[in-house]
Amino acid sequence: MVWWRCFNICTSGNERLMRQELVGGLKIRVSGGIDGHGGGTGPVVVLLHGFGAPGDDLVPLADVLNVPAGTRFLFPEGPLSLSFGPGDARAWWLIDMARIAQDRAAGRVRDLSQDIPKGLAPMREQMLNVLKEIEQKFGADPKKTVLGGFSQGAMLSCDLMLHTDRPYAGLVQLSGTLLAQPVWGPLLPKRKHLPVFQSHGVQDEILPYVGAERLRDALSQAGLSVEWHNFRGGHEIPRVVMQRLGMFITKTVTQT
């Protein structure tokens, strides 16, 4: 069963410029900026990878997203190492693989909206500290910082956004789903008007499309400004989504 993202990005063939930092106890890959290594004082985009993906899974996005010059990209790596997946497969918290297999065998549509994973709260605390340190270490202005992720990383980024009052520029939800509704529901209204970019494949077999619709509706009903993009495909980030995501990031980080 494939859990990580699936997108192919062709670059010039040159070695990708980036550096690694240890921030809040997590390895973070840093790219973009004025030197390809995250230098300068430009806007910041923090993206969290999905369950079972290697820590550098989303790094190629820094090469293909059309964003303002000097934009810096930070890619934190999940602290948990898994025994499967491509390379060093990582996770933010463990999931019940047996339950998922049972649901698929029975033809049940997965509904995670009421689930509150045991590992969510401790991961939230660590990542909130990481985000504070990112502000200090990189001089990241929250008003010019976009937070987001793919799959499990999208869920974590949404949870983080709801548990901090920092005035972030926007939230990115790539193939995510509604999670922990008893916790998220009361917190959503405080993020009224927050720009959100959300995409999901209508043929997604990992996180069903209906869960993304539930997330979209919960965000919209709470007053967040959701830019919704569905596409014909599965658990992935197609090129059309990358193109629109670049426009979203540009718009949010250049607003005064």
Side-chain angles (χ1 to χ4, degrees), residues 40-231:
T41 59
V44 170
V45 179
V46 181
L47 294 176
L48 311 180
H49 64 76
F51 180 89
D56 62 354
D57 188 61
L58 298 179
V59 171
L61 286 175
D63 293 332
V64 298
L65 292 178
N66 187 8
V67 295
T71 297
R72 297 171 287 169
F73 288 86
L74 278 64
F75 303 94
E77 180 175 289
L80 303 180
S81 180
L82 305 176
S83 59
F84 64 89
D88 182 16
R90 314 296 295 187
W92 301 101
W93 62 81
L94 297 178
I95 61 177
D96 188 343
M97 301 293 288
R99 173 189 166 190
I100 293 169
Q102 291 169 0
D103 287 345
R104 294 195 69 182
R108 290 190 293 264
V109 176
R110 298 180 65 210
D111 179 7
L112 302 180
S113 62
Q114 302 302 308
D115 286 14
I116 304 176
K118 292 181 180 179
L120 178 59
M123 194 66 255
R124 173 196 306 143
E125 292 307 310
Q126 183 173 7
M127 273 302 302
L128 287 175
N129 288 330
V130 168
L131 292 174
K132 289 179 182 178
E133 193 168 331
I134 284 174
E135 279 192 48
Q136 299 167 356
K137 190 166 189 173
F138 295 91
D141 179 358
K143 294 181 179 180
K144 294 187 179 297
T145 298
V146 173
L147 175 63
F150 175 81
S151 193
Q152 191 182 63
M155 301 177 215
L156 178 55
S157 65
C158 187
D159 185 81
L160 292 169
M161 186 67 75
L162 298 178
H163 284 88
T164 178
D165 60 359
R166 305 304 289 159
Y168 289 116
L171 175 66
V172 174
Q173 298 289 283
L174 304 171
S175 297
T177 195
L178 181 59
L179 184 76
Q181 190 171 31
V183 176
W184 289 8
L187 299 175
L188 281 169
K190 78 172 188 176
R191 282 299 185 179
K192 187 176 183 180
H193 304 309
L194 176 74
V196 179
F197 181 97
Q198 187 183 358
S199 66
H200 211 94
V202 297
Q203 299 162 319
D204 194 328
E205 295 183 353
I206 304 300
L207 291 175
Y209 186 72
V210 65
E213 290 182 310
R214 291 183 183 126
L215 175 60
R216 176 200 63 197
D217 293 346
L219 298 174
S220 298
Q221 290 167 11
L224 287 76
S225 179
V226 180
E227 181 179 322
W228 167 255
H229 299 285
N230 60 9
F231 57 89

